[in-house]
Every structure is written in structure tokens, then in C-alpha cells.
Amino acid sequence: WTLTDLRAVTPGWMGRGGGDWRFTPADDPTLDVTGGVQDLARLTEPLDQLVGRSATLAAALTFDRGVAVRSARVLGRNLRAGVRGRIDDGVMALDLEATARGPVRVGGADVAGAADITGHITGPFDAYAVTAQARLATLDIAGTTLQGATIDVAAATGAQA
């Protein structure tokens, strides 16, 4: 597969990508995709700090009256993230696991060291919600440093926002 302009599938992001795919026809067909994206630009913060200018991608899907996401992973400069779960009628129910490495600036806070994140992505593609818990090695907010902080995060897009 080749994608010469990421804006075709991710509005606002710039870059290009390519890789390999394998489709296996069966009662429950499978699709395995590997590849990467390069020349990334215009990602939102802190995503741009975590992913960098390039990333590798891999996904394993089974089509069984919906989509079983056996695994989907992205590996960027300071981010390793993956999801698994289901997508039925355009509605996601995915479990998220990620590890990020700082330093990363998020608003007025600096996150140093590693962060381990677990959570869920739910809802339709155009209005999904993310709930997660992040365990941070070090968090610095306005000169106050917290060691071993745990933060609950909830964010939504579209109609869920």
C-alpha cells in the first residue's frame, strides 16, 4: 500500500506512508497490514512530540460481522501504543495500552521519564471518547515535581465533546 498524502485519511495531518498488506479469504477473512509513515507534520501537541517525524504501523484484523481488531500498533520516536477489541457498525470498543517517554510538554506541565497508559476508546469514529489512566514517573507542574503520579484522563470528540 502507498499513501502519498495522509490528509486523505487523517484531516490536518501531513505526511506520506506505505507498506505491505495480506488478505486471507475465509469464513472470517483476515487482513494483516504493516508499514510506516514519514514526513509527519502538523500533528497536535503532545502527539507530535511523542510520534516524531516517522512511525511504524502494524495491524491484524478479522472480519466477522464486524471487525475484530486482534492488534493494532504504532511505534513512534517516544511512543509505543496498541489497541485491541471490536468495531461494529462503525462503533469502536477498543482497549488501549501505551508507553510514552518524556520529556513531553502538555500545556503548562512537563512529563519526564516514562508513562504507562491503559484505557479504552469507545464510540463512533466521528464522535469517540477516550478514557485512560496514566502512571507517570515524574510530573512537573509550575515548578512542583510529583513522583509516581497517576492521572485519570477523559477526552471526547464530535458530539461526545
Side-chain angles (χ1 to χ4, degrees), residues 98-121:
T99 299
R101 202 173 52 243
V104 174
R105 183 127 181 99
V106 182
D110 290 313
V111 179
D116 293 315
I117 301 131
T118 57
H120 307 283
I121 303 170

Side-chain angles (χ1 to χ4, degrees), residues 11-138:
W13 292 17
M14 296 174 62
R16 59 187 173 81
D20 297 311
W21 61 276
R22 183 184 68 214
F23 180 76
T24 305
D27 288 340
D28 293 331
T30 62
L31 176 65
D32 296 292
V33 179
T34 59
V37 291
Q38 302 82 33
D39 302 325
L40 290 173
R42 296 187 59 202
L43 301 178
T44 58
E45 287 190 23
L47 197 55
D48 62 339
Q49 299 169 61
L50 294 170
V51 174
R53 300 272 299 149
S54 64
T56 59
L57 312 168
L61 312 172
T62 299
F63 300 91
D64 58 359
R65 295 188 188 156
V67 180
V69 180
R70 298 189 323 267
S71 70
R73 299 181 309 275
V74 62
L75 177 61
R77 178 180 61 209
N78 293 315
L79 175 70
R80 183 177 63 232
V83 296
R84 67 179 52 217
R86 292 201 53 83
I87 303 170
D88 291 304
D89 296 320
V91 178
M92 297 178 284
L94 303 171
D95 294 327
L96 166 70
E97 288 188 20
T99 299
R101 202 173 52 243
V104 174
R105 183 127 181 99
V106 182
D110 290 313
V111 179
D116 293 315
I117 301 131
T118 57
H120 307 283
I121 303 170
T122 57
F125 286 105
D126 62 347
Y128 61 90
V130 178
T131 56
Q133 186 173 74
R135 290 170 304 286
L136 311 171
T138 304

